[in-house]
Amino acid sequence: MTPSQLMKLGKLKGRNIVLVALKHNKRTLKNDPAQIDATRTYLNYALHGIDTPENIAIHAKVQITKAGIETLRKDAVMGVEVLFSLPINRHQQDTSQFFIDCCEWVKKTFAGELLSFDVHLDEAAPHAHAIILPLINGKMHGSDMAGNYRRLQNSFHDEVAGYYGLSRGNKKRLSKADEETFEREVLKRLKGDSVMTSCVWAVIRDVIKQDPMPFAQLLSIESPAKPKTKHFIDFKRAKGQGTFIK
């Protein structure tokens, strides 16, 4: 099974939500989630927005004020956050170029201003967060920016993910037996993971039972009937980009 891409969009709503999101992404919150490995946080890095969360948030507010926007609705979208994630256990591989390409894709694809792009290597899956100020031509267009998700997914696959051998993650029809096999393998792989002790585990467990395929793809669980495919780094290296394995 080819590992699948994971690109998700979120709307940041609330008076100070951009600051809160920046603090999480910059790892300055006092009580970060338990899944963060503090011994690896020093490996995190920023590709854009190399400043304190407070300064970046102030900059965003100044830009909004300069545009002549004095008041916003309580449910206004103050920022758009884009999450990019690779399958877990890719820390032995150099993923830097993948995230550089993700950052460049964000700059090219989204209007507004990119406030920050932070790469996290202190959790199970290498991933990155981009936060965008949806200020376009003097108006806030957060809801519009987060629309047409399918088009954005296709664009990301065609311009970035596909180049690294990642699939779109489309759901395939499985037999009942195959679904049960993947469900067992996912649960086996998650044994001991902090998610199993989380207060939301019961919900996640139900989702795994209903559709184990997305979890199997992110965990790089291969189908017993199919040979293993190359990791995304192998695809990159095969195109003459040098050695990417640390």
Side-chain angles (χ1 to χ4, degrees):
M1 182 193 309
T2 303
S4 66
Q5 68 190 47
L6 177 59
M7 188 276 287
K8 298 290 185 181
L9 273 73
K11 300 176 183 178
L12 301 179
K13 297 181 179 181
R15 184 176 180 182
N16 295 312
I17 188 62
V18 170
L19 177 59
V20 172
L22 287 165
K23 283 185 174 181
H24 169 75
N25 295 345
K26 301 290 185 184
R27 296 298 193 246
T28 63
L29 283 176
K30 291 184 178 180
N31 297 312
D32 269 327
Q35 65 266 25
I36 294 174
D37 182 354
T39 66
R40 294 180 56 83
T41 297
Y42 76 95
L43 296 171
N44 296 346
Y45 59 94
L47 290 174
H48 192 89
I50 306 174
D51 203 340
T52 66
E54 291 77 10
N55 286 344
I56 297 174
I58 289 173
H59 168 77
K61 290 182 178 180
V62 168
Q63 296 303 100
I64 293 173
T65 301
K66 283 183 177 180
I69 302 174
E70 297 181 358
T71 58
L72 287 165
R73 292 167 43 182
K74 290 183 178 180
D75 62 345
V77 178
M78 303 302 296
V80 172
E81 184 164 20
V82 190
L83 169 67
F84 303 94
S85 183
L86 290 167
I88 67 170
N89 299 325
R90 290 295 190 267
H91 295 294
Q92 75 277 14
Q93 300 171 338
D94 184 350
T95 59
S96 58
Q97 188 60 52
F98 172 77
F99 290 120
I100 289 172
D101 291 346
C102 290
C103 186
E104 292 304 312
W105 179 80
V106 169
K107 293 177 182 177
K108 181 176 65 173
T109 303
F110 293 91
E113 180 182 352
L114 178 61
L115 296 175
S116 64
F117 192 101
D118 293 284
V119 179
H120 291 165
L121 302 178
D122 57 357
E123 297 183 54
H127 63 278
H129 298 261
I131 296 182
I132 305 162
L133 175 65
L135 181 62
I136 306 168
N137 297 326
K139 296 182 179 181
M140 297 290 278
H141 290 278
S143 295
D144 295 337
M145 285 179 57
N148 206 343
Y149 181 59
R150 183 178 295 276
R151 178 185 64 80
L152 292 170
Q153 279 276 23
N154 289 338
S155 170
F156 178 64
H157 177 268
D158 292 342
E159 299 181 33
V160 181
Y163 181 61
Y164 290 87
L166 296 169
S167 75
R168 282 184 172 86
N170 295 330
K171 182 178 179 181
K172 298 178 181 179
R173 294 185 62 85
L174 295 174
S175 67
K176 186 64 177 178
D178 283 342
E179 283 187 346
E180 292 175 351
T181 297
F182 279 117
E183 179 187 353
R184 287 196 301 271
E185 290 302 312
V186 167
L187 294 176
K188 184 188 301 183
R189 188 71 62 86
L190 288 177
K191 187 176 182 181
D193 192 285
S194 59
V195 70
M196 299 188 79
T197 61
S198 167
C199 62
V200 298
W201 170 244
V203 176
I204 297 174
R205 177 67 182 84
D206 288 342
V207 174
I208 293 173
K209 183 174 182 62
Q210 293 170 11
D211 183 12
M213 280 297 292
F215 298 89
Q217 289 176 321
L218 285 175
L219 293 169
S220 295
I221 296 173
E222 302 285 347
S223 170
K226 297 180 181 179
K228 292 186 177 182
T229 57
K230 294 182 179 179
H231 292 315
F232 81 98
I233 289 296
D234 295 323
F235 281 86
K236 184 76 172 180
R237 186 173 54 197
K239 293 180 179 291
Q241 299 298 315
T243 301
F244 283 77
I245 304 295
K246 286 186 175 180

